[in-house]
Amino acid sequence: MTTEEKKAPKKKGPIRWEAIIPVTIICAGAYAYFAWFFDQHLKKAIEYVGTQANGAEVNVASVKTSFLRGSFDLNGLQVTDKDMPAQNILSLDNVHFQYMWDALLRMKFVVDDASINQIQVASKRSRPGFVLPPEPAKPSKLDGLQKEVLDQVKKEYSQNMLGDLIGLLEGADPKDQLEKIREELKSEKRVKEMIADVTTKQKVWEGEVKRLSDTTKLKAIEGQVQSIKAEKNVLKQLAGAKELNDLLKDVQKQAKEIQGAGKKLEGEIRTVSAYPNEVQALVKDDIASLKNRFKIPELDVKDMAMALFAKEFGDYIAKARKYQALAKQYLPEKKEREEVLPPPREIGKTYEFPITKSYPLFWLKRAAISSTGTPGSYSGNVSGELTNVTTSPKWVKKPIVLDLKGDFPASEMYGVQAKVTADFTGAVARQGLDLKITTFAIPGRMFSESDKLKFGLKKATGSTKLTAALQDGEMEMSWNAQISKPDWLVEAKSNLAQELLSGIVGGIPLIYVNGNVSGPWKALNMSITSNLGDELANGMKAQVSKKIAEAEGKLQALVDEKIKGPQAELLGQLKGNGDFLSQIKNADQLYKANEDKIKTEIANLQKGGGKGKGGLEEQGKKLLKKFKF
Amino acid sequence: MTLLLKQLFGFFKLLHSETGNNQLAWGVALGFILGMTPALSLQSLLVFFCLFFFRVQIGAAFLAAFFFKFIAFLLDPAFDAVGQWALELPALQGLFTDLYNMPIVPFTRFNNSIVMGSGIVAIILLPFVLAGSKWAIIKYRVTVVERFRETKLFKVWTKTSLYAWYYKYDTYFGN
């Protein structure tokens, strides 16, 4: 084989023409994918992600994207309500986004104009959507935040304040209940303990006093002293003096024991003497806790309005807290200036030049929202717009605003105007809400629902205005509502209460409610005023105040009755303790007297007392002389 | 992977043939630009487009890119200094501002000091790398390849049946 046999290769030009076919095939494949399959895959992806996020089936009729036009269309979005799978929690007919090419060429997504059409809530589905198996319940952070607000509100109102007042008007006698809970009276329990303590101590001291006041020993000593004193024999007198000294020591020991016992008894008497004061304090505590238990309220006009409307206002505040937390999660407040960290050497330094024409990463300039109400759903005739949703609010320098106006005939709600503002353009974020509803139907609202009293609105017409602002962790909300054409429900067991309440509400054609709340989320300062509260409070004040005083007096009498007997017993026993002390003191004095007597006799004997003449020494000398020494 | 290996084998084959000096030299030069550029950017894509559109030896480009990547890594401080100097030139601030606000251009990451520095160095050195690689290829063929062909080992190898089989295969199926 020689080189001549090898064919001379054909000379090829500088362009790789043979690569054109593969490149064309790749480009055609990419085009075909985006033209025929991409939208379908995107639709499946939206459905899958939406279903996982919602926990129930999410359907999309179609998705249409156009690379050349820079547009995105989503049609027929249906989000199944996981609690009621036969209906949608939300459905949209069409969402249209038109991206700006100028921004896309900079890898930015700017939507100049968008539209969201035919929003429906609670619309029926053609078939029930499937629901994903529930995940193990986890405490939701949002629920926790709402609970924090509601707990604060709960402190401010009592659901059954009105029922308690009516109970008082009926003259409810707490005697039966007091019988049932008498064991729980702290004062009574303590008095029993005190009596038991004093009784035990009395028994102990009875024995002790008896032992210490025993005079047998004293009499024996006295007899001994007398016999020694009567002795004429010197030697026997000498032995008697020694015996007296021993007796003295014995008496002194006994007297010391009596003194010690006396001091101990005095201390115990002092402790026991404080028992009556302690009992009085416990009685006061018991009366206070019983007043609380029987819900004897301090009647206040403000309290009444708060008790009636705090729940409604609390719900609004809790909702505001929830949406504020959600907004914070999805629109995080950015720092005024991002902290600049020096880049590593190999990354180099990136220079920023003045921006003369640029866009934030995402900017939805305006989205028109429209919806027409349909029968069988809660959708309304709504129109509005959402503007300036962006990832860089400080650059855009415009707040996010959702402005909606409309009517919801299915819910009998007309003249709804809502403006939600989220302003992240400044150093401190500010979020606001202005909501106004000209007319809405109040289906029914019970202010009190107990066996004794059913009091509330069967139906009424309302109008409301709610303004809320949150800035720097401090919230401020005001709520003004008017309830007109009230149809009252008053059912009280007591004729007095029935007449009283019917009379009061009959003269209130229009109810005003004004609420204000301000301060940080953890310590909200809330106030509510209402003419309904004023009227009810004023109407009931005289009657209720009288009943309150009566109820307090009854409680005091009941407590006194329960305590009186044991307390008297205790005081009697304490008096007995004083007798013990005097007996001990008498014994002490007796011993002291004997001690003195013995000391005197010893001194007399030493000086030559007794029946013999002269002292012992002198008598001894005389005796020696007799024996001629 | 097969394509890449084929290109690499093609590079060695071409290197030992008598033709394709320019293809190889341009391959090395474009590989030099690829190696100097710190990361994927618009200019890298442009170089890739040139590699695939023009009849440039791709294997040579990849080998050169691999080799110059290491050198570029060592030279990053120098590129950083050159880039900073260029980006801070007062006379060019207007031009850079315009470029920064134009569509597409920011994807080149020209405002990064290392990208700018390595780009300037690569553009300045490109003619020298091209001429130098062409000179080196010719010199290699004349000195190394010719001398190797004269060795007894190579002559024995060309007489083997395996070589004959490969030669035939290459004639019909080689590019």
Side-chain angles (χ1 to χ4, degrees):
Chain A
M1 202 181 285
T2 60
T3 48
E4 286 81 11
E5 285 175 332
K6 193 180 173 185
K7 287 178 188 172
K10 193 182 169 186
K11 194 163 183 186
K12 294 173 179 174
I15 294 171
R16 215 186 285 270
W17 291 110
E18 66 270 22
I20 285 177
I21 293 170
V23 169
T24 311
I25 290 170
I26 290 167
C27 290
Y31 176 81
Y33 172 75
F34 281 100
W36 295 318
F37 300 108
F38 177 72
D39 290 349
Q40 192 64 19
H41 291 164
L42 188 60
K43 169 182 151 2
K44 295 276 179 200
I46 292 169
E47 283 180 334
Y48 177 77
V49 173
T51 302
Q52 297 302 316
N54 179 48
E57 190 175 347
V58 170
N59 306 98
V60 175
S62 66
V63 171
K64 193 165 172 56
T65 55
S66 171
F67 183 72
L68 291 174
R69 286 192 297 272
S71 68
F72 170 87
D73 275 273
L74 187 146
N75 300 309
L77 174 74
Q78 292 186 57
V79 182
T80 306
D81 184 344
K82 60 182 171 186
D83 297 323
M84 283 182 278
Q87 68 180 37
N88 293 312
I89 196 166
L90 176 79
S91 66
L92 303 170
D93 259 19
N94 170 262
V95 177
H96 172 76
F97 278 14
Q98 184 78 47
Y99 291 99
M100 280 176 68
W101 252 112
D102 191 43
L104 285 173
L105 287 173
R106 293 170 166 89
M107 277 297 278
K108 305 287 165 66
F109 301 89
V110 177
V111 182
D112 216 10
D113 203 8
S115 59
I116 303 164
N117 301 313
Q118 199 58 26
I119 306 163
Q120 290 189 22
V121 180
S123 59
K124 277 188 182 170
R125 290 178 61 86
S126 54
R127 58 167 181 81
F130 72 84
V131 179
L132 296 179
E135 283 182 18
K138 285 180 207 162
S140 151
K141 202 177 173 186
L142 283 175
D143 289 346
L145 292 172
Q146 288 190 92
K147 194 176 172 293
E148 186 182 86
V149 171
L150 288 173
D151 284 348
Q152 289 180 60
V153 176
K154 270 183 190 169
K155 278 184 200 165
E156 302 286 334
Y157 77 93
S158 151
Q159 179 69 27
N160 204 27
M161 184 183 182
L162 211 56
D164 295 337
L165 291 175
I166 295 301
L168 276 167
L169 283 177
E170 281 178 349
D173 194 344
K175 195 172 180 177
D176 297 339
Q177 291 182 55
L178 193 65
E179 279 300 321
K180 283 177 200 163
I181 58 154
R182 58 178 296 177
E183 288 306 315
E184 290 171 31
L185 280 180
K186 281 191 281 181
S187 54
E188 195 176 2
K189 199 178 164 193
R190 182 71 183 123
V191 165
K192 280 180 183 168
E193 284 173 8
M194 287 171 180
I195 291 170
D197 184 39
V198 172
T199 311
T200 315
K201 281 181 176 151
Q202 269 181 330
K203 276 181 187 165
V204 172
W205 282 105
E206 247 170 35
E208 197 69 359
V209 168
K210 203 174 176 183
R211 184 177 67 80
L212 294 171
S213 331
D214 188 9
T215 51
T216 327
K217 207 172 180 180
L218 276 174
K219 279 176 186 166
I221 290 168
E222 205 174 330
Q224 262 184 302
V225 171
Q226 290 304 326
S227 67
I228 292 165
K229 202 175 163 186
E231 190 59 60
K232 288 178 181 170
N233 187 321
V234 177
L235 286 172
K236 279 186 180 174
Q237 276 186 353
L238 204 61
K242 195 176 174 275
E243 210 174 318
L244 279 175
N245 271 323
D246 291 343
L247 279 175
L248 180 65
K249 277 178 192 167
D250 203 13
V251 167
Q252 279 174 337
K253 192 184 164 192
Q254 191 79 1
K256 208 173 183 181
E257 196 183 343
I258 289 169
Q259 278 171 5
K263 275 181 188 170
K264 199 178 168 190
L265 183 61
E266 265 179 33
E268 288 198 353
I269 286 173
R270 216 175 295 127
T271 312
V272 169
S273 302
Y275 281 178
N277 290 339
E278 194 186 334
V279 170
Q280 283 306 315
L282 287 171
V283 166
K284 272 187 187 172
D285 280 359
D286 275 340
I287 289 173
S289 75
L290 284 171
K291 272 174 75 176
N292 192 34
R293 186 175 179 122
F294 295 128
K295 294 189 170 65
I296 296 176
E298 301 296 326
L299 194 59
D300 190 304
V301 173
K302 277 183 193 169
D303 280 356
M304 183 64 90
M306 189 71 89
L308 293 172
F309 297 105
K311 191 181 175 298
E312 274 78 8
F313 198 27
D315 287 345
Y316 288 137
I317 303 167
K319 273 180 192 157
R321 177 72 179 116
K322 179 183 170 182
Y323 292 117
Q324 184 271 332
L326 279 171
K328 197 174 180 182
Q329 187 180 347
Y330 291 108
L331 295 165
E333 196 176 333
K334 286 185 180 169
K335 290 174 190 169
E336 181 66 1
R337 278 171 183 239
E338 295 293 337
E339 198 176 343
V340 180
L341 295 169
R345 181 85 196 179
E346 65 271 20
I347 292 172
K349 185 179 172 184
T350 299
Y351 287 76
E352 301 291 338
F353 295 97
I355 296 170
T356 53
K357 189 179 183 182
S358 186
Y359 305 95
L361 184 61
F362 177 79
W363 184 11
L364 171 64
K365 286 187 173 179
R366 180 182 175 274
I369 299 166
S370 72
S371 176
T372 312
T374 52
S377 79
Y378 292 108
S379 62
N381 304 318
V382 180
S383 65
E385 60 177 24
L386 175 66
T387 52
N388 298 312
V389 179
T390 178
T391 49
S392 305
K394 288 187 173 70
W395 188 86
V396 171
K397 290 184 181 129
K398 286 175 185 169
I400 301 166
V401 178
L402 172 67
D403 199 347
L404 290 174
K405 280 173 192 164
D407 302 317
F408 295 83
S411 308
E412 293 181 66
M413 204 184 280
Y414 300 94
V416 179
Q417 289 178 40
K419 190 174 182 181
V420 183
T421 316
D423 190 349
F424 297 97
T425 56
V428 180
R430 188 181 186 284
Q431 291 155 63
L433 164 74
D434 284 303
L435 174 72
K436 194 177 169 186
I437 305 171
T438 312
T439 320
F440 64 98
I442 300 169
R445 162 72 172 100
M446 297 306 290
F447 297 118
S448 175
E449 207 165 8
S450 66
D451 296 340
K452 288 168 189 165
L453 176 70
K454 284 186 174 62
F455 174 67
L457 286 165
K458 278 194 273 192
K459 62 174 184 175
T461 307
S463 69
T464 193
K465 195 180 166 192
L466 188 77
T467 312
L470 181 84
Q471 189 167 355
D472 209 13
E474 295 267 334
M475 85 95 68
E476 201 171 330
M477 184 187 270
S478 71
W479 174 47
N480 308 104
Q482 282 183 28
I483 301 168
S484 57
K485 299 176 196 165
D487 185 1
W488 294 99
L489 171 75
V490 183
E491 281 176 22
K493 275 190 177 174
S494 134
N495 286 335
L496 173 66
Q498 180 77 32
E499 280 171 24
L500 191 68
L501 283 175
S502 300
I504 293 168
V505 297
I508 311 174
L510 198 63
I511 303 164
Y512 301 96
V513 186
N514 298 309
N516 278 292
V517 64
S518 58
W521 287 113
K522 285 185 187 296
L524 293 169
N525 182 19
M526 191 167 84
S527 72
I528 299 175
T529 55
S530 167
N531 64 332
L532 177 63
D534 295 355
E535 295 290 337
L536 281 173
N538 291 330
M540 295 171 86
K541 203 163 192 173
Q543 291 290 336
V544 172
S545 298
K546 197 175 149 191
K547 290 286 178 181
I548 285 173
E550 261 178 43
E552 282 183 3
K554 272 181 189 170
L555 275 179
Q556 179 71 53
L558 281 169
V559 173
D560 286 351
E561 191 188 308
K562 295 290 159 203
I563 295 300
K564 221 173 185 175
Q567 199 174 8
E569 196 185 328
L570 180 69
L571 289 170
Q573 283 179 345
L574 291 179
K575 215 174 179 184
N577 289 340
D579 294 344
F580 287 143
L581 194 62
S582 62
Q583 282 179 43
I584 291 268
K585 277 182 181 168
N586 287 342
D588 187 33
Q589 279 170 2
L590 267 173
Y591 273 91
K592 272 187 180 166
N594 271 291
E595 192 183 330
D596 294 344
K597 213 173 188 178
I598 293 167
K599 279 181 183 169
T600 317
E601 287 307 322
I602 291 169
N604 283 343
L605 281 174
Q606 281 172 348
K607 283 178 191 168
K611 300 284 176 188
K613 286 176 184 171
L616 279 174
E617 198 180 333
E618 213 171 304
Q619 284 187 29
K621 279 177 185 172
K622 280 178 185 172
L623 198 64
L624 286 170
K625 269 182 187 174
K626 261 185 187 175
F627 291 106
K628 295 183 179 172
F629 274 99
Chain B
M1 195 64 190
T2 315
L3 192 74
L4 187 69
L5 285 172
K6 201 175 172 186
Q7 285 298 325
L8 286 174
F9 290 136
F11 165 69
F12 287 112
K13 207 170 107 183
L14 207 61
L15 195 64
H16 292 94
S17 71
E18 289 160 359
T19 55
N21 291 345
N22 287 332
Q23 285 176 43
L24 284 168
W26 270 108
V28 172
L30 290 177
F32 168 70
I33 293 174
L34 274 182
M36 289 288 146
T37 312
L40 190 69
S41 56
L42 198 65
Q43 55 271 40
S44 309
L45 292 175
L46 194 70
V47 172
F48 273 112
F49 175 77
C50 291
L51 281 174
F52 288 106
F53 191 75
F54 295 106
R55 203 174 298 282
V56 178
Q57 225 294 317
I58 295 172
F62 286 156
L63 269 179
F66 183 73
F67 172 71
F68 286 116
K69 202 84 189 167
F70 285 103
I71 294 175
F73 184 74
L74 298 171
L75 290 174
D76 266 353
F79 294 156
D80 186 43
V82 173
Q84 284 195 33
W85 167 79
L87 286 164
E88 286 171 15
L89 273 177
L92 295 178
Q93 292 305 300
L95 174 68
F96 289 143
T97 305
D98 287 347
L99 290 173
Y100 191 71
N101 288 287
M102 278 169 75
I104 300 174
V105 179
F107 298 142
T108 59
R109 294 178 60 218
F110 76 91
N111 55 328
N112 180 275
S113 58
I114 291 183
V115 176
M116 176 59 91
S118 62
I120 291 169
V121 172
I123 289 165
I124 291 170
L125 292 181
L126 183 70
F128 299 102
V129 173
L130 181 67
S133 56
K134 193 172 177 181
W135 174 82
I137 289 160
I138 294 167
K139 197 80 181 162
Y140 173 81
R141 281 172 175 168
V142 172
T143 52
V144 182
V145 178
E146 283 307 313
R147 279 185 194 174
F148 181 70
R149 279 185 175 163
E150 292 302 314
T151 59
K152 284 179 182 173
L153 186 71
F154 185 77
K155 282 177 179 170
V156 169
W157 163 243
T158 53
K159 300 295 174 191
T160 59
S161 56
L162 187 66
Y163 180 80
W165 176 83
Y166 167 74
Y167 190 81
K168 206 161 199 171
Y169 174 84
D170 190 52
T171 309
Y172 290 109
F173 300 107
N175 55 355

